[in-house]
């Protein structure tokens, strides 16, 4: 189904990115997973599972930090070398999700108050990985896509970013995360407009609550509390739902410049 897809997926060794890489490769795509060096071990397990399942496509790994121009450039070079073509699908899944209030106070029994301020460093890092990193891969992948021949619709490729429902209803402690994802939502339409002239579409998925390593480590009770807010279906999202939406965006040429919430109608409480 995705035999013509040559994809790069940032953060593709874990969670939503890994589900997408496996799904696309299983269905014939050639996929370069671009992730941090420490994620390579996860990738090797994923690759072994993929071989067991007689995947039709191909999975490769490139060590890359999405914030680095050099790393992303090397990863895109590797796509060309390994797969014999430039990339035509770029999926941004790399992300970090710190939990920290803008300002928090603890009042001790003796009435003394301790104040903790959100550090600028942590806010900046979140913006750098989630927003700047997303832009970095998108713009550099667009440059490679632009070198490809256009299809019958004049299209050369598609960029798929990952925001979050936190971009709309960020919770207490999500000020950095929600800001970074708001940036991803905000870049979607102008980037689609910028890249229309070269036949590249830009879409963003805003997931709700998905069962990935991020959430899997939380206690059962926390899962139950989180699930309460998901109207229908009343469960955490399976990463395959995300992967399938990526697949649909790839195959539907008229989806462009839009953010799709994938959340079972979840609206996060404060
Ligand atoms: N899981 C959810 O419920 C959920 C909900 C909304 C949005 N999201 C978003 O979806 C994306 C994927 O989340 P996930 O749950 O699969 O998380 P995850 O932690 O399972 O995977 C994230 C991946 O990103 C990689 N990564 C982190 N920093 C990086 C960097 N600087 N350069 C390259 N790779 C880096 C990690 O190594 C990891 O492999 C994130 O952007 C996250 O914010 C997830």
């Amino acid at each position: 189904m995705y035999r013509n897809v040559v994809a790069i997926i940032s953060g593709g060794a874990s969670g939503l990115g890994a589900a997408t890489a496996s799904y696309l490769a299983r269905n014939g795509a050639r996929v370069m997973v671009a992730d941090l060096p420490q994620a390579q071990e996860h990738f090797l397990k994923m690759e072994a599972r993929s071989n067991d399942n007689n995947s039709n496509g191909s999975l490769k790994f490139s060590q890359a930090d999405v914030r680095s121009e050099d790393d992303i450039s090397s990863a895109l070079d590797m796509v060309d070398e390994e797969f014999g073509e430039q990339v035509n699908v770029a999926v941004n899944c790399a992300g970090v999700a710190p939990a920290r209030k803008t300002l928090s106070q603890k009042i001790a029994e003796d009435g003394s108050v301790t104040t903790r301020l959100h550090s600028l460093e942590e806010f900046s890092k979140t913006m750098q990985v989630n927003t700047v990193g997303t832009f970095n891969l998108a713009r550099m992948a667009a440059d490679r896509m632009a070198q490809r021949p256009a299809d019958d619709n004049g299209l050369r490729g598609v960029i798929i970013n990952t925001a979050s429902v936190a971009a709309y209803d960020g919770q207490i402690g999500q000020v950095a995360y929600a800001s970074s994802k708001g940036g991803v939502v905000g870049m979607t339409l102008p980037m689609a407009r910028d890249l229309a002239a070269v036949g590249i579409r830009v879409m963003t998925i805003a997931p709700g609550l998905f069962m990935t390593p991020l959430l899997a480590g939380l206690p059962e009770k926390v899962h139950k509390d989180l699930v309460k807010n998901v109207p229908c279906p009343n469960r955490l999202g399976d990463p395959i739902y995300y992967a399938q939406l990526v697949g649909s965006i790839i195959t539907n040429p008229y989806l462009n410049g839009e953010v799709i919430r994938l959340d079972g109608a979840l609206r996060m409480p404060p």
Side-chain angles (χ1 to χ4, degrees):
M1 195 178 0
Y2 300 115
R3 218 162 276 284
N4 297 325
V5 167
V6 181
I8 186 165
I9 304 181
S10 76
S14 176
L16 303 182
T20 305
S22 302
Y23 173 74
L24 293 179
R26 217 166 36 243
N27 290 288
R30 287 157 285 168
V31 181
M32 181 65 64
V33 166
D35 208 316
L36 297 174
Q38 57 266 36
Q40 189 155 8
E41 206 177 306
H42 289 281
F43 171 79
L44 293 174
K45 287 183 194 151
M46 184 177 133
E47 191 187 28
R49 276 198 300 276
S50 168
N51 291 338
D52 290 348
N53 292 337
N54 292 327
S55 173
N56 293 318
S58 166
L59 280 173
K60 300 279 175 201
F61 184 84
S62 173
Q63 290 187 6
D65 187 319
V66 283
R67 295 167 288 183
S68 158
E69 291 193 68
D70 288 349
D71 286 4
I72 295 301
S73 180
S74 304
L76 290 164
D77 287 345
M78 249 181 95
V79 170
D80 200 9
E81 286 154 23
E82 292 282 350
F83 304 141
E85 295 181 49
Q86 295 286 5
V87 72
N88 57 8
V89 172
V91 186
N92 265 303
C93 278
V96 289
R100 181 93 53 226
K101 287 188 193 177
T102 307
L103 179 150
S104 50
Q105 287 191 323
K106 252 193 189 154
I107 303 170
E109 274 177 16
D110 66 1
S112 62
V113 179
T114 323
T115 301
R116 186 165 180 192
L117 201 55
H118 197 308
S119 79
L120 265 192
E121 197 187 351
E122 195 169 21
F123 189 91
S124 277
K125 185 190 169 196
T126 311
M127 297 300 286
Q128 282 293 325
V129 176
N130 294 359
T131 319
V132 180
T134 294
F135 181 66
N136 191 33
L137 175 60
R139 74 189 180 106
M140 295 185 82
D143 188 33
R144 305 300 178 105
M145 289 176 191
Q147 297 168 29
R148 291 181 59 99
D151 69 10
D152 295 346
N153 282 314
L155 295 174
R156 292 186 165 81
V158 58
I159 292 162
I160 302 168
N161 301 322
T162 310
S164 163
V165 293
Y168 306 99
D169 21 271
Q171 295 182 289
I172 290 170
Q174 287 194 312
V175 65
Y177 184 67
S179 303
S180 71
K181 295 301 188 179
V184 175
V185 167
M187 75 175 76
T188 307
L189 181 61
M191 194 186 288
R193 288 172 165 168
D194 285 349
L195 297 177
V198 278
I200 298 170
R201 297 182 291 125
V202 182
M203 287 292 293
T204 292
I205 300 172
L209 295 167
F210 278 72
M211 183 54 110
T212 67
L214 206 83
L215 291 186
L218 299 175
E220 177 91 16
K221 181 181 174 325
V222 179
H223 282 181
K224 282 195 180 137
D225 287 348
L226 287 170
V227 166
K228 272 187 205 144
N229 299 310
V230 187
C232 180
N234 180 227
R235 51 166 297 174
L236 292 177
D238 186 321
I240 193 68
Y241 303 156
Y242 175 94
Q244 286 166 342
L245 181 54
V246 169
S248 301
I249 292 171
I250 291 170
T251 49
N252 191 324
Y254 216 55
L255 279 172
N256 195 11
E258 185 55 281
V259 183
I260 301 175
R261 286 182 74 127
L262 186 66
D263 62 6
L266 165 72
R267 297 297 177 269
M268 295 292 267

